[in-house]
């Protein structure tokens, strides 16, 4: 056989070295000093490349096997090597569709040889020519070639080796527990001649297996496949019962926790037995049996397969991390809680996947583009697009985490979903903000336009509110994403509040305009008529004002109420507005009444002057001297007092009062009844009896003050009238006396007797006659120029004052006229030739203008 192997080796050009001696260490693939090739199951050289602790090999059939050191002889876990191995064999893509097979057995019992022949792996085999020694150190991992589903094989360091010495037991138990924790199928390699022997090498191994199994809180259901090596002529049917009996005895003898004292071994293990012929003596038969056994590993995890009822499988993507954590716990000599470990692995891996997907989502171009569009303005189809992006991200998570613990997977998925939703929520809120703002602007424009074309306020607001809210709901539905149950109610409520605020603002503005419009109408309808009525105050003034107020107010309120009906306001508000309009109407009258009350003194004087200076036909009164001046004065004052009494208080209700009587008795009666000196003055008060202050326009004491001032200011007019009447009587008497211009006869006789001497003196001196004539002319000119009868027509005192003021200017005027006459050229006037008539002509010329002026003035 050796020669055959050497021959095949020498004929192969694929060796990387020139020597292929089996005595050399060339075919150890795990050392830089070893050969770069191993043999396949046909003893054909297999191409082998060593990369750190990973070995890559391929056989002539093109199949490829990858081997990696999982745990070295010192118990160090090869993290980087296993990670590289996982990526190389693409284990992460397998999900739960993979199986783990491990092999235990005594040192140098042919474990690696069996694995290489059974699974096409490249584990290092012992060199029989160098003697029996330790070949596999630590734990090695390889992927089976040509077996589906993906099957990983662990080659464990052999037990009972002399190289480890006393440390053998510790590492043996650690590696056995590690294999049981992660393997679905455990191959127990044992020699046929050890069956039935009490101190055989397999019993310590089985005790070790069962003891470490007790350290698992919830052991996996593991298939133990006992491989009987170098089978003898004894049939398997006879060997298997003995082996099973020994196994059961070992199981029963192993101390177990209280929870598992009565637990049968079948709850933990599926025991299978297979026998193989000697590899060295019956190689062909061995290979046939191995090929048959290999078929049992095809689809081993399917129901009915070798590992068909396995439990607690870790997803393939978490295998490396799970193995690392399990070995850490074992190294720390702690009990291994596989369910908790499974959850821990799922937690770590799902967290990693979740973080990876979240980071990928943040940099996702579709999401970044969508977010930028949202920042710029409204986005159509936001919900559908974001749902697709989120769905893709979550689907990727589900695809990678689907085989991990469901509770952990769902929890981490929920956390990822919450993180994603928290990330995209601001964009969603921005979209809702754009929708809300757009709907608000649309409502404002549509609502205002509807009002402009005359549509009713309530109808327009209701119609467009419904239309905008329906469109808002529709657009919000397009923004909703399937992954979130986000409620748009708050944004909807905000939009409703904004619309209602706008409607309220417009309503307030329109109501203000409407109120102002009707107030203006009322003011125009009441102001001037009330002023005219109060100016001509009479007994019916307030009755007329009250009727006017009621009529105009009723008309305004009717129109105002009809207009308010279109605004859909509450009845209480409507009543308040109507009441406010009514109060405004009353306020107009009260304001006008107070205004007129402030001018009552002027109105009283005007009324007094009108009645006193005009007759019953409203013609200017001509004083003839026969008028009853006292009665006229009293009538004028009574009319003025009537005005004062009317303006003293407002009378818009049905109340009655005796204010006029009180004023008449206190101010007008000329013959009041005798009162004691201690009698009270009815006007010495600031309030009227039974009249509230709100209706009072002029207080009693103010009425008394006004009347006193009124009498003072009208006294002059009365005095003037009295003077005019007296002068007229005097003039009439004088005219009556002047109509008989001749003196009595006795006076004439007396003048003749007493004035005889003076008359004779004039006859003797004719110059005196000229002086008297000139003086007569001057006096006549002054009489005419000063209009002395006219000046005294208004009374003696006014006449004297007026004449005294005009006397000096009149004298100066006469002198100037005479001087002008004297300076005239003589030739221009033929009458100058008659000097005897010069003085007479001057006097005549001066008389003519005076007489003209008198005549014109008289006219």
């Amino acid at each position: 056989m050796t020669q055959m192997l050497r021959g095949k080796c020498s004929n192969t050009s694929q060796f990387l070295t020139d020597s292929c001696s089996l005595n050399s260490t060339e075919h150890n693939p795990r050392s830089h000093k070893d050969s770069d090739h191993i043999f396949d199951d046909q003893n054909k050289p297999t191409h082998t490349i060593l990369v750190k602790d990973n070995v890559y090999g391929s056989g002539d059939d093109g199949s490829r096997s990858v081997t990696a050191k999982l745990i070295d002889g010192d118990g160090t876990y090869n993290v980087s090597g296993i990670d590289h191995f996982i990526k190389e064999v693409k284990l992460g893509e397998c999900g739960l569709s993979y199986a783990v097979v491990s092999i235990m057995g005594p040192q140098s019992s042919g474990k690696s040889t069996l694995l290489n022949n059974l699974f096409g792996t490249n584990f290092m085999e012992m060199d029989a020519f160098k003697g029996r020694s330790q070949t596999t150190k630590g734990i090695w991992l390889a992927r089976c070639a040509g077996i589906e589903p993906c099957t990983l094989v662990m080659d464990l360091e052999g037990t009972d080796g002399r190289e480890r010495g006393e440390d053998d037991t510790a590492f043996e138990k650690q590696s056995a527990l590690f294999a049981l924790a992660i393997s679905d199928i455990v191959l127990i390699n044992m020699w046929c001649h050890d069956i039935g022997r009490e101190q055989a090498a397999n019993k310590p191994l089985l005790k070790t297996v069962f003891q470490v199994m007790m350290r698992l809180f919830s052991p996996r259901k593991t298939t133990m496949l006992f491989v009987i090596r170098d089978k003898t002529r004894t049939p398997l049917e006879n060997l298997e019962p003995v082996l099973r009996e020994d196994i059961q005895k070992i199981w029963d003898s192993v101390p177990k926790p209280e929870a598992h004292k009565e637990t049968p071994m079948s709850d933990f293990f599926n025991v299978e037995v297979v026998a193989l012929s000697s590899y060295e003596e019956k190689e062909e038969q061995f290979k046939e049996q191995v090929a048959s056994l290999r078929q049992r590993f095809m689809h081993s995890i399917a129901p009915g397969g070798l590992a068909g009822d396995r439990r607690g499988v870790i997803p393939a993507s978490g295998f490396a991390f799970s193995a690392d954590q399990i070995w850490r716990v074992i190294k720390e000599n702690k009990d291994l809680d596989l369910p908790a470990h499974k959850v821990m692995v799922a937690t770590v891996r799902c967290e990693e996947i979740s973080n990876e997907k979240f980071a990928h989502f943040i940099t996702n171009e579709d999401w970044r583009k969508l977010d930028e569009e949202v920042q710029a303005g409204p986005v159509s189809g936001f919900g559908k697009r974001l749902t697709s992006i989120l769905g893709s991200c979550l689907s990727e998570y589900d695809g990678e985490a689907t085989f991990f613990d469901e509770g952990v997977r769902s929890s981490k998925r929920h956390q990822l979903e919450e993180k994603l939703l928290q990330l995209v929520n601001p964009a969603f809120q921005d979209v809702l903000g754009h929708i809300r703002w757009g709907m608000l602007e649309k409502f404002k424009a549509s609502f205002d336009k509807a009002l402009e074309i005359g549509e009713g306020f309530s109808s327009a607001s209701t119609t467009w509110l419904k239309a905008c809210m329906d469109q808002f709901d529709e657009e919000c539905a397009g923004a909703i994403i399937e992954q979130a149950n986000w409620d748009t109610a708050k944004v909807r409520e905000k939009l409703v509040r904004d619309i209602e605020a706008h409607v309220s603002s417009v309503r307030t503005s329109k109501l203000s305009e409407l109120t102002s419009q009707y107030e203006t109408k009322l003011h125009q309808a009441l102001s001037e008529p009330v002023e005219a009525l109060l100016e001509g105050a009479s007994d019916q003034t307030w009755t007329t004002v009250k009727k006017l107020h009621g009529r105009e107010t009723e008309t305004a309120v009717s129109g105002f109420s009809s207009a308010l009906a279109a605004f859909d306001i509450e009845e209480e508000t409507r009543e308040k507005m109507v009441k406010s309009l009514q109060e405004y109407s009353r306020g107009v009258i009260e304001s006008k009444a107070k205004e007129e009350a402030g001018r009552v003194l002027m109105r009283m004087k005007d009324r007094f002057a009108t009645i006193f200076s005009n007759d019953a036909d409203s013609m200017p009164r001509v004083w003839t001297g026969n008028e009853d001046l006292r009665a006229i004065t009293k009538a004028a004052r009574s009319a003025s007092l009537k005005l004062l009494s009317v303006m003293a208080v407002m009378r818009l209700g049905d109340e009655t009062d005796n204010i006029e009587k009180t004023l008449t008795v206190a101010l007008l009666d000329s013959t009041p009844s005798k009162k004691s000196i201690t009698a009270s003055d009815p006007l010495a008060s600031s309030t009227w009896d039974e009249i509230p202050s709100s209706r009072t326009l002029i207080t009693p004491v103010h009425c008394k003050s006004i009347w006193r001032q009124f009498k003072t200011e009208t006294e002059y007019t009365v005095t003037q009238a009295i003077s005019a009447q007296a002068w007229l009587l005097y003039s009439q008497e004088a005219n009556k006396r002047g109509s008989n211009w001749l003196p009595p006869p006795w006076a004439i006789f007396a003048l003749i007797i007493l004035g005889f001497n003076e008359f004779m003196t004039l006859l003797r001196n004719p110059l005196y006659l000229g002086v008297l004539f000139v003086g007569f002319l001057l006096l006549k000119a002054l009489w005419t120029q000063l209009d002395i009868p006219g000046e005294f027509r208004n009374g003696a005192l006014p006449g004297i004052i007026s004449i005294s003021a005009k006397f000096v200017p009149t004298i100066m005027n006469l002198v100037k006229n005479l001087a002008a006459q004297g300076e005239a050229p003589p030739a221009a006037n033929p009458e100058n030739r008659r000097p005897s008539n010069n003085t007479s002509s001057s006097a005549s010329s001066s008389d003519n203008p005076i007489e003209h002026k008198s005549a014109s003035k008289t006219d």
Side-chain angles (χ1 to χ4, degrees):
M1 182 183 296
T2 303
Q3 294 297 328
M4 179 182 65
L5 291 174
R6 288 179 177 176
K8 292 182 179 179
C9 211
S10 61
N11 293 329
T12 304
S13 61
Q14 310 249 341
F15 280 104
L16 300 178
T17 63
D18 295 330
S19 175
C20 58
S21 173
L22 292 177
N23 294 325
S24 68
T25 58
E26 295 172 351
H27 50 282
N28 184 352
R30 291 174 288 180
S31 172
H32 291 288
K33 297 178 181 180
D34 295 337
S35 172
D36 288 330
H37 69 276
I38 63 174
F39 295 99
D40 63 6
D41 56 354
Q42 300 297 328
N43 286 331
K44 296 179 181 178
T46 302
H47 302 185
T48 305
I49 301 174
L50 178 65
V51 181
K52 291 186 179 179
D53 291 323
N54 293 357
V55 178
Y56 303 88
S58 60
D60 291 343
D61 60 354
S63 62
R64 189 177 185 215
S65 176
V66 181
T67 305
K69 181 187 293 183
L70 183 59
I71 299 172
D72 63 16
D74 297 329
T76 304
Y77 188 86
N78 183 17
V79 178
S80 60
I82 295 304
D83 288 342
H84 189 74
F85 172 85
I86 296 298
K87 293 179 181 178
E88 184 65 26
V89 301
K90 299 180 180 179
L91 182 63
E93 300 177 2
C94 296
L96 296 178
S97 183
Y98 77 103
V100 179
V101 179
S102 61
I103 189 167
M104 300 180 187
Q107 179 175 302
S108 302
S109 60
K111 298 187 299 299
S112 299
T113 301
L114 175 60
L115 294 180
N116 290 339
N117 283 273
L118 181 60
F119 299 112
T121 54
N122 302 313
F123 295 119
M124 183 179 67
E125 300 177 11
M126 184 188 69
D127 186 353
F129 294 97
K130 293 177 62 176
R132 303 183 68 83
S133 62
Q134 187 182 52
T135 304
T136 302
K137 293 182 180 181
I139 302 174
W140 284 74
L141 181 67
R143 176 177 179 176
C144 301
I147 294 182
E148 293 296 336
C150 176
T151 302
L152 302 180
V153 180
M154 290 195 304
D155 188 7
L156 275 64
E157 181 178 320
T159 61
D160 197 20
R162 65 181 178 84
E163 285 80 4
R164 285 194 177 270
E166 294 180 358
D167 294 335
D168 175 68
T169 303
F171 186 80
E172 175 185 326
K173 290 183 178 181
Q174 291 174 350
S175 60
L177 180 57
F178 180 75
L180 288 173
I182 68 174
S183 300
D184 301 307
I185 305 170
V186 177
L187 302 179
I188 307 296
N189 199 45
M190 61 185 302
W191 300 111
C192 179
H193 56 264
D194 286 337
I195 298 176
R197 298 171 61 182
E198 185 64 28
Q199 300 299 326
N202 64 326
K203 287 192 176 182
L205 177 61
L206 290 176
K207 287 182 180 180
T208 300
V209 170
F210 292 154
Q211 285 173 356
V212 297
M213 179 63 74
M214 295 301 104
R215 293 182 59 187
L216 301 178
F217 283 114
S218 180
R220 303 174 59 183
K221 187 84 176 273
T222 306
T223 298
M224 283 198 307
L225 180 59
F226 287 85
V227 181
I228 302 174
R229 303 293 297 275
D230 296 348
K231 177 180 173 297
T232 62
R233 294 180 179 180
T234 305
L236 181 61
E237 292 79 7
N238 296 333
L239 294 174
E240 185 173 352
V242 176
L243 179 58
R244 288 183 180 272
E245 182 180 354
D246 290 341
I247 294 172
Q248 186 63 46
K249 288 180 181 180
I250 297 173
W251 172 259
D252 294 338
S253 65
V254 172
K256 293 182 276 298
E258 288 292 332
H260 297 299
K261 279 188 175 183
E262 303 299 329
T263 304
M265 185 178 63
S266 59
D267 287 354
F268 293 128
F269 297 103
N270 291 323
V271 179
E272 299 286 339
V273 181
V274 65
L276 297 177
S277 299
S278 173
Y279 176 73
E280 294 180 353
E281 297 177 0
K282 301 178 181 180
E283 182 178 356
E284 293 301 327
Q285 187 177 357
F286 174 82
K287 292 181 184 279
E288 291 177 2
Q289 292 169 349
V290 167
S292 176
L293 179 60
R294 177 183 175 89
Q295 295 303 315
R296 298 187 64 180
F297 286 90
M298 298 296 290
H299 307 291
S300 59
I301 63 174
L306 284 176
D309 55 351
R310 63 179 181 169
R311 299 190 297 262
V313 183
I314 298 294
S317 62
F319 176 80
F321 176 77
S322 174
D324 185 16
Q325 295 300 315
I326 289 175
W327 183 248
R328 287 175 185 271
V329 173
I330 293 173
K331 287 287 287 183
E332 294 172 1
N333 198 26
K334 296 180 180 179
D335 290 339
L336 187 59
D337 187 352
L338 289 183
H341 171 77
K342 178 182 178 183
V343 172
M344 182 269 294
V345 172
T347 301
V348 173
R349 282 295 300 140
C350 290
E351 182 73 22
E352 292 176 351
I353 297 171
S354 173
N355 292 337
E356 178 184 346
K357 298 310 171 187
F358 182 75
H360 180 265
F361 181 87
I362 293 177
T363 59
N364 185 283
E365 288 298 327
D366 292 337
W367 157 244
R368 293 168 67 91
K369 181 180 179 181
L370 181 61
D371 189 38
E372 291 175 358
E373 292 179 9
V374 170
Q375 298 301 324
V379 178
S380 177
F382 172 83
K384 185 176 181 180
R385 292 170 62 184
L386 185 55
T387 296
S388 176
I389 300 172
L390 289 173
S392 176
C393 179
L394 294 174
S395 297
E396 291 177 3
Y397 170 86
D398 292 337
E400 295 187 24
T402 185
F403 300 113
F404 288 100
D405 182 80
E406 182 178 359
V408 175
R409 181 181 73 246
S410 300
S411 175
K412 295 301 179 182
R413 187 186 196 277
H414 181 67
Q415 292 178 10
L416 172 61
E417 192 172 11
E418 285 185 345
K419 288 170 63 178
L420 292 174
L421 294 180
Q422 186 177 5
L423 176 66
V424 303
N425 184 260
F428 175 74
Q429 295 299 329
D430 289 342
V431 170
L432 293 185
H434 292 318
I435 297 174
R436 182 184 64 82
W437 181 256
M439 289 302 98
L440 180 60
E441 292 301 313
K442 179 180 179 180
F443 176 84
K444 289 180 179 180
S446 302
F447 180 60
D448 294 345
K449 184 176 181 179
L451 294 180
E452 290 176 0
I453 62 177
E455 186 176 350
F457 187 93
S458 177
S459 174
S461 63
T462 302
T463 299
W464 285 107
L465 174 62
K466 184 178 184 304
C468 289
M469 295 313 299
D470 289 345
Q471 185 175 350
F472 174 83
D473 293 338
E474 181 180 347
E475 293 190 13
C476 283
I480 294 295
I481 60 177
E482 296 178 0
Q483 292 82 1
N485 189 24
W486 284 333
D487 188 8
T488 61
K490 291 185 178 180
V491 180
R492 193 180 196 278
E493 291 173 0
K494 179 67 168 61
L495 175 60
V496 172
R497 289 196 301 270
D498 291 342
I499 291 178
E500 289 178 349
H502 178 71
V503 171
S504 177
S505 175
V506 175
R507 180 188 292 112
T508 301
S509 176
K510 294 295 182 181
L511 289 178
S512 178
E513 293 177 3
L514 184 64
T515 302
S516 177
Q517 176 184 351
Y518 276 89
E519 287 178 351
T520 302
K521 289 182 178 180
L522 272 176
H523 190 275
Q524 293 175 350
L526 294 175
S527 181
E528 293 183 0
V530 169
E531 181 179 356
L533 289 172
L534 294 178
E535 184 177 354
S538 64
D539 292 335
Q540 299 300 317
T541 295
W542 285 109
T543 302
T544 306
V545 170
K546 182 170 63 177
K547 290 180 180 179
L548 175 66
H549 171 250
R551 183 178 66 252
E552 295 297 335
T553 301
E554 182 179 358
T555 302
V557 166
S558 176
F560 189 62
S561 299
S562 299
L564 289 179
F567 286 89
D568 191 23
I569 58 177
E570 296 179 357
E571 183 65 22
E572 182 180 357
T573 304
R574 189 191 68 80
E575 291 177 356
K576 286 182 179 180
M577 296 186 69
V578 170
K579 184 177 180 180
S580 176
L581 184 64
Q582 293 172 340
E583 291 176 351
Y584 176 82
S585 174
R586 184 182 181 89
V588 171
I589 295 178
E590 291 179 356
S591 175
K592 186 55 65 176
K594 290 178 181 179
E595 182 181 339
E596 289 300 315
R599 297 198 291 257
V600 67
L601 178 60
M602 181 183 67
R603 300 296 188 195
M604 290 170 64
K605 291 193 296 183
D606 291 344
R607 176 169 290 194
F608 177 85
T610 299
I611 296 177
F612 189 80
S613 301
N614 294 277
D615 55 19
D617 297 328
S618 299
M619 297 297 293
R621 192 184 298 278
V622 178
W623 300 105
T624 62
N626 297 324
E627 294 85 359
D628 187 353
L629 190 58
R630 182 181 297 276
I632 294 173
T633 301
K634 185 174 183 179
R637 287 179 175 174
S638 296
S640 299
L641 189 63
K642 179 70 175 179
L643 176 61
L644 180 61
S645 66
V646 170
M647 295 302 302
V649 296
M650 289 184 293
R651 301 174 179 86
L652 294 178
D654 298 329
E655 306 88 352
T656 58
D657 56 70
N658 57 355
I659 293 178
E660 184 178 1
K661 181 179 180 181
T662 301
L663 290 176
T664 302
V665 171
L667 302 176
L668 191 62
D669 284 353
S670 58
T671 57
S673 59
K674 294 182 180 180
K675 301 178 183 179
S676 64
I677 193 169
T678 59
S680 61
D681 186 352
L683 300 183
S685 174
S686 60
T687 58
W688 298 101
D689 293 340
E690 300 180 357
I691 302 295
S693 58
S694 59
R695 291 175 50 203
T696 302
L697 296 175
I698 307 174
T699 61
V701 67
H702 193 199
C703 286
K704 186 175 183 179
S705 175
I706 290 173
W707 183 257
R708 187 184 301 114
Q709 186 176 357
F710 166 75
K711 288 185 66 177
T712 301
E713 294 183 7
T714 58
E715 191 69 31
Y716 176 76
T717 302
V718 176
T719 302
Q720 287 285 69
I722 294 174
S723 299
Q725 192 177 39
W727 173 256
L728 184 59
L729 292 175
Y730 173 78
S731 298
Q732 289 177 352
E733 186 65 27
N735 290 335
K736 191 179 295 183
R737 289 196 301 269
S739 60
N740 188 10
W741 59 277
L742 291 177
W746 61 269
I748 296 174
F749 181 75
L751 286 173
I752 294 174
I753 295 300
L754 295 175
F756 180 77
N757 293 332
E758 286 76 8
F759 180 71
M760 292 303 296
T761 301
L762 291 175
L763 290 178
R764 294 189 187 100
N765 296 297
L767 183 61
Y768 289 152
L769 292 176
V771 172
L772 291 174
F773 182 71
V774 171
F776 171 74
L777 293 177
L778 289 173
L779 290 175
K780 184 177 180 181
L782 287 174
W783 181 275
T784 303
Q785 195 77 11
L786 293 175
D787 189 18
I788 293 176
E791 294 295 340
F792 281 97
R793 189 177 297 117
N794 295 326
L797 182 60
I800 294 172
I801 295 173
S802 178
I803 290 173
S804 63
K806 295 191 297 182
F807 181 77
V808 175
T810 302
I811 293 295
M812 296 299 294
N813 189 28
L814 289 176
V815 172
K816 288 180 180 179
N817 288 336
L818 289 175
Q821 289 288 340
E823 292 177 359
N829 191 354
E831 295 180 356
N832 289 337
R833 297 177 182 178
R834 294 177 293 178
S836 59
N837 297 332
N838 188 23
T839 303
S840 173
S841 299
S842 298
S844 299
S845 64
S846 62
D847 286 345
N848 290 335
I850 295 175
E851 291 176 358
H852 176 71
K853 288 180 180 180
S854 177
S856 63
K857 191 168 185 178
T858 302
D859 293 340

